[in-house]
Amino acid sequence: MARRPAAPPPPDGRVVDIDVSQEMRSSFLEYAYSVIYSRALPDARDGLKPVQRRILFQMAQMGLRPDRGHVKSARVVGDVMGRLHPHGDSAIYDALVRMAQPFSLRLPMIDGHGNFGSADDGPAAMRYTEARLASAAMEMTAGLDENVVDFAPNYDGRETEPIVLPSAIPNLLVNGASGIAVGMATNLVPHNLIEVIAAARHLIKKPKAGLEELMRFVPGPDLPGGGVVIGLDGIKDAYATGRGAFKVRARTRIEQVSPRRKGIVVTELPMNVGPERIIERIKDLVSGKKLQGIADVTDLTDGSSGLNLVIEIKSGFVPEAVLEQLFKLTPLEDNISINAVALVDGQPQTLGLVQMLQVFVEHRLEVVTRRSQYRKDRATDRLHLVQGLLTAIVDIDEVIQLIRQSDDASAAKERLMSVFDLSDIQAAYILDMPLRRLTKFSRIELETEATNLQATIDALVEILSDESVLRRVVSDELAEVAKAHGTERRTLLMESAWSTMTAGSPSALEIPDEPCLVLLSSTGLIARTSDLTAVRQPGERRAKHDVLVSGSIATTRGDIGLVTSAGRIVRLHVLDIPALPAVAGAPALSGGAPLGAFVDLPKGETVLCLVPLDAPLALATAGGVIKRVSVEPLASKDAWDVIRLEPGDRVIGAAALPEAHAEHAELCLITSDAQLLRFPASAVRPQGRGAAGMAGIKCAPNAMVVAFAVITDPSTAQVVTVAGSQGVLPGTDAGSVKVTALNAFPAKGRATAGVRCHKFRTGEDALVLAWAGTGPARAATASGVAVELPEPDTRRDGTGSSLGAAISGIGGSLS
């Protein structure tokens, strides 16, 4: 074999021998370090990867604020690439696009104009789209010119860039993050801004708060597209250790899509799953004989009504059984893993919920401290100049004469410093002062400015010297952020799947017509059970999640009525409601389904309770009107009115009131100004469906009824009142709560004002929630997490006890 000629030696004649294995190890470590710290992993403080941070910073530098016009995305990408991020333009544009997609981020940072893609399709090229900062991004970059964060040289050392953004938004949790580095990866899902900020504010107030406390505020993820999260245990594992997994299901409802067929209507899909992917998968399964019972799939999605995917079911197949198969075989159900890896002090760490919030809170404390110090220094410098001007104006004639007699500016400055005891800066500023400032009015302005500057300095000194004041400022600023950018929760949290039927089983095709109990929870879950006594006393079943607010006897193949706030009864087929699994001691409604899967109500109309279709009712309105009505179901209609409401009024509560109970039952109304009235139900005569009712309680100006109940046994009834402030963002202030026996309140006549039932504390001005019914009472947050209530108070008009979490629903015994 011929030998290869040796490579020519270097020009200087030197040859360097290296260890190839050592060189490879060293080069690989440098590459891994670069990927981990400069590309793939987010910083735990602002939740951004370097490319995202550089995009937001550069757009802020370009002045692309929400009140300015959009510019071409290509211009933004070019500036970011040329000034800060020396990588490919496609990577920068991909990051920009993701920050503008409302289906990718819970709180988009960029306001995009043009085709920024969908869950099924990619975006248009950067030369076609336009962008500017969203309002939320202004909270991320606010204060960059006030020395709140450190800056570092860019890649070529010609410019500087922030190593982290001030970030008044807990972005790591709110928008999540994903990235693949060398030897590690991160995947964090989005959360609700209001819930995360509420937890952060609680941690500011109680720095040693544990996971259980914080999960009362952040019960689980809140995905951009909504959906239903299945499996809270995996979420708790992720919050505790930084690693966990859970399932996300599409939000569906079963309805009559044609005169002869029912269908499954999909209104929300798991994150990053589009309708085209679902349709393609269903067609493959049907053509491969792996899925039966589907007649057609139609995508009726449009820009105004949102996602609307209709899956038509063939006659003879139970929709619930087909839906269960769709969950198993299609992306209608998706598995999501959480791996919360982020950079903390430059080191990659796996973080739990407590650690992520602690890092964010410490970052905000440092940002506000540095901002306060900067503003204090600026105010002190300005006050120093103003004091010099005031000194000069007092003896302005002498100042002018002194300046005129000086040979030059340098001599004038020296004489000013000597005669008036001014500093070098003050003297120079006086020499530069225009003559128009030498008026009496200017002196008044300067004195006012000096007073304001001193007040500002005193306030900033208090923040810098008192940690409790600093924490209060940070907490208040976070509350403003939540108020400005927070939205309601979109994702429903469930402990387990609500359907346990399997396709082809006898129970899926033949369901006997037998008595059952239909139940409704405070978070809008509905279910039925054949055990008529199993959940009659939910307070004794140690429910871990949610409370029952209504229940009604029905039959499996019969109908049940939903009373709404618009004064209507909506018919619901009991067979469509999922059955609870027969598991002893199961949490209340852990197998329920969202009520929105069965009824589609107009915006603003809510379901109040469940009633038999043929039972007489008692109901009350927010305006204090009471009515008893005998309901006659209309066979030809799925909904009908039971009261004629005045303009602006709405039904606040309703309950079944059979004639046999009307003689000894009582009606109870509670108003927002803490007045309670109870009187015999017999004082209200029954009326027809078209009647407007009669006066129930006399409401004070600006007050309204917040709770109504039919009491059949006053000896065991309780009253729960929750006080708060009407001006506070819902869910951010827990307020106070009081539990009282109903018998503590004397009965009064109908159409009177009643008696006071709750004494407001400082900062409270209304009852934000109230309930009356058979005890023991139970309460839960908006996400269904149980809230412990205080022991009953014997004082009917006493103040309440403070709460650690805001109550959203209250329930009691349904017996």
Side-chain angles (χ1 to χ4, degrees):
M1 179 182 294
R3 174 175 289 184
R4 245 176 157 180
D12 58 1
R14 291 184 300 106
V15 177
V16 179
D17 291 328
I18 62 172
D19 184 345
V20 174
S21 62
Q22 181 63 34
E23 178 67 21
M24 290 295 295
R25 185 180 298 109
S26 150
S27 298
F28 182 78
L29 288 176
E30 289 181 7
Y31 165 73
Y33 181 90
S34 173
V35 171
I36 291 172
Y37 296 98
S38 301
R39 298 183 69 174
L41 297 185
D43 192 296
R45 293 170 290 181
D46 61 6
L48 298 172
K49 295 191 286 188
V51 63
Q52 297 171 326
R53 185 179 304 114
R54 288 164 178 166
I55 290 172
L56 296 181
F57 172 67
Q58 185 58 39
M59 291 181 72
Q61 294 295 100
M62 296 168 66
L64 303 181
R65 299 189 298 270
D67 57 346
R68 301 285 184 87
H70 295 80
V71 303
K72 286 292 185 181
S73 300
R75 178 182 168 190
V76 176
V77 171
D79 278 13
V80 172
M81 182 170 56
R83 294 175 178 270
L84 304 173
H85 198 69
H87 299 280
D89 57 353
S90 60
I92 299 173
Y93 184 55
D94 288 345
L96 184 149
V97 165
R98 185 177 184 276
M99 288 194 291
Q101 292 175 332
F103 56 86
S104 295
L105 299 189
R106 189 62 177 80
L107 190 63
M109 293 293 163
I110 291 178
D111 178 14
H113 183 66
N115 178 15
F116 276 80
S118 66
D120 288 312
D121 300 314
M126 69 179 77
R127 62 183 178 273
Y128 299 120
T129 61
E130 297 178 339
R132 65 183 177 189
L133 290 176
S135 58
M138 304 307 295
E139 307 287 356
M140 299 289 292
T141 59
L144 279 174
D145 56 346
E146 294 182 300
N147 192 34
V148 293
V149 294
D150 293 331
F151 279 68
N154 68 335
Y155 67 92
D156 61 2
R158 297 181 181 180
E159 300 185 30
T160 59
E161 60 176 317
I163 61 175
V164 66
L165 293 185
S167 184
I169 293 174
N171 186 62
L172 185 65
L173 279 165
V174 172
N175 280 328
S178 62
I180 301 176
V182 179
M184 63 184 67
T186 185
N187 188 44
L188 275 159
V189 293
H191 290 74
N192 185 274
L193 176 66
I194 296 177
E195 295 176 353
V196 175
I197 285 185
R201 295 184 68 197
H202 183 75
L203 191 62
I204 291 172
K205 185 178 180 181
K206 297 181 179 180
K208 295 184 179 180
L211 179 62
E212 293 292 337
E213 288 184 63
L214 296 180
M215 283 193 66
R216 292 165 64 184
F217 300 95
V218 187
D222 188 21
L223 306 180
V228 182
V229 168
I230 306 295
L232 302 183
D233 291 338
I235 293 173
K236 187 170 184 179
D237 291 341
Y239 288 165
T241 66
R243 296 177 183 271
F246 60 91
K247 294 180 180 180
V248 180
R249 282 187 170 182
R251 186 169 296 200
T252 61
R253 64 174 183 267
I254 296 173
E255 63 181 36
Q256 201 78 26
V257 296
S258 69
R260 300 182 61 183
R261 283 180 175 172
K262 287 188 174 183
I264 300 169
V265 180
V266 182
T267 57
E268 295 175 3
L269 288 171
M271 191 171 176
N272 297 323
V273 175
E276 292 183 11
R277 181 178 166 192
I278 300 294
I279 294 173
E280 182 179 355
R281 179 59 178 163
I282 291 176
K283 288 181 177 179
D284 291 342
L285 290 171
V286 171
S287 62
K289 307 296 184 182
K290 296 180 180 179
L291 182 63
Q292 298 180 353
I294 294 180
D296 192 17
V297 182
T298 307
D299 186 7
L300 302 178
T301 303
D302 58 43
S304 58
S305 61
L307 179 67
N308 190 12
L309 185 63
V310 180
I311 304 173
E312 191 173 340
I313 306 301
K314 292 180 179 179
S315 300
F317 287 83
V318 176
E320 290 87 351
V322 177
L323 179 58
E324 189 68 17
Q325 289 298 297
L326 288 171
F327 283 143
K328 292 180 180 180
L329 301 175
T330 72
L332 285 178
E333 179 177 286
D334 194 16
N335 294 317
I336 294 181
S337 298
I338 296 178
N339 187 27
V341 179
L343 298 176
V344 180
D345 296 329
Q347 300 295 323
Q349 296 184 18
T350 302
L351 306 174
L353 176 65
V354 177
Q355 291 76 24
M356 284 187 280
L357 288 172
Q358 285 175 340
V359 171
F360 171 74
V361 168
E362 290 171 1
H363 176 56
R364 285 304 300 171
L365 291 172
E366 180 183 358
V367 165
V368 175
T369 299
R370 293 179 61 163
R371 184 188 67 195
S372 300
Q373 184 64 51
Y374 176 86
R375 291 177 178 178
K376 172 183 168 294
D377 292 343
R378 292 292 299 272
T380 302
D381 293 342
R382 177 60 186 170
L383 180 61
H384 184 62
L385 296 176
V386 170
Q387 290 171 341
L389 286 176
L390 286 172
T391 301
I393 288 178
V394 170
D395 298 318
I396 191 61
D397 294 334
E398 186 177 350
V399 169
I400 294 174
Q401 184 178 1
L402 185 150
I403 295 173
R404 293 182 62 184
Q405 293 175 353
S406 300
D407 296 333
D408 51 30
S410 178
K413 183 170 70 173
E414 292 295 333
R415 294 185 65 185
L416 284 173
M417 294 170 59
S418 175
V419 174
F420 295 99
D421 194 22
L422 300 175
S423 67
D424 183 273
I425 296 175
Q426 288 175 322
Y429 191 71
I430 290 172
L431 289 173
D432 294 336
M433 179 179 62
L435 290 177
R436 65 176 179 271
R437 297 294 303 274
L438 307 180
T439 64
K440 183 178 180 180
F441 183 70
S442 294
R443 179 178 178 180
I444 296 174
E445 285 183 332
L446 289 172
E447 289 175 346
T448 303
E449 183 181 1
T451 302
N452 294 337
L453 286 171
Q454 188 59 55
T456 300
I457 293 171
D458 293 342
L460 293 171
V461 168
E462 185 180 11
I463 294 174
L464 294 170
S465 59
D466 192 336
E467 185 179 358
S468 63
V469 177
L470 171 65
R471 288 180 172 271
R472 185 172 67 247
V473 170
V474 173
S475 180
D476 292 344
E477 289 182 357
L478 289 177
E480 290 298 320
V481 171
K483 186 175 182 180
H485 305 287
T487 55
E488 296 181 357
R489 166 172 281 276
R490 300 173 185 171
T491 302
L492 179 67
L493 304 176
M494 299 178 65
E495 289 189 354
S496 61
W498 59 264
S499 177
T500 57
M501 291 192 298
T502 56
S505 64
S507 60
L509 299 177
E510 295 183 5
I511 301 176
D513 190 16
E514 60 183 7
C516 65
L517 182 63
V518 183
L519 304 167
L520 179 67
S521 79
S522 62
T523 57
L525 298 180
I526 190 170
R528 58 181 168 88
T529 176
S530 58
D531 185 355
L532 301 184
T533 61
V535 287
R536 287 295 186 91
Q537 297 286 347
E540 300 176 1
R541 292 175 57 79
R542 303 181 302 278
K544 303 175 185 177
H545 186 74
D546 216 342
V547 295
L548 300 178
V549 295
S550 183
S552 181
I553 296 292
T555 60
T556 309
R557 292 187 175 274
D559 295 331
I560 199 167
L562 309 177
V563 182
T564 76
S565 58
R568 300 192 304 153
I569 286 186
V570 178
R571 185 195 306 271
L572 183 62
H573 302 302
V574 177
L575 187 60
D576 292 339
I577 302 172
L580 287 174
V583 179
L589 285 200
S590 62
L595 188 59
F598 309 100
V599 291
D600 189 13
L601 300 178
K603 185 177 181 180
E605 185 176 1
T606 58
V607 172
L608 302 175
C609 67
L610 308 172
V611 295
L613 287 181
D614 56 353
L617 294 179
L619 48 86
T621 74
V625 174
I626 193 80
K627 181 179 181 181
R628 285 178 57 192
V629 57
S630 296
V631 178
E632 298 177 1
L634 303 179
S636 61
K637 292 187 177 181
D638 289 330
W640 54 90
D641 295 333
V642 291
I643 186 173
R644 187 176 77 249
L645 292 173
E646 295 295 328
D649 203 2
R650 70 181 189 280
V651 176
I652 205 70
L657 182 57
E659 294 292 342
H661 295 166
E663 292 301 322
H664 63 270
E666 291 187 354
L667 305 181
C668 178
L669 297 98
I670 306 173
T671 65
S672 58
D673 60 344
Q675 293 293 119
L676 182 147
L677 176 63
R678 52 182 287 210
F679 56 87
S682 57
V684 181
R685 68 179 185 276
Q687 296 176 307
R689 290 191 302 107
M694 60 184 66
I697 186 172
K698 185 178 180 181
C699 292
N702 299 323
M704 65 178 184
V705 176
V706 295
F708 166 74
V710 173
I711 307 297
T712 56
D713 185 4
S715 63
T716 60
Q718 291 182 332
V719 174
V720 181
T721 50
V722 182
S725 173
Q726 292 178 318
V728 174
L729 185 71
T732 61
D733 187 9
S736 64
V737 64
K738 184 169 76 76
V739 180
T740 315
L742 179 65
N743 283 335
F745 306 96
K748 299 288 184 179
R750 181 182 64 82
T752 61
V755 297
R756 189 170 70 171
C757 61
H758 195 119
K759 184 178 180 181
F760 295 140
R761 304 188 305 181
T762 302
E764 298 175 344
D765 57 13
L767 292 184
V768 296
L769 186 66
W771 173 87
T774 304
R778 292 180 55 250
T781 64
S783 56
V785 179
V787 177
E788 185 176 355
L789 293 175
E791 293 296 322
D793 194 336
T794 58
R795 303 169 301 165
R796 68 174 178 81
D797 61 344
T799 57
S801 303
S802 297
L803 279 169
I807 294 178
S808 179
I810 306 173
S813 172
L814 300 181
S815 59

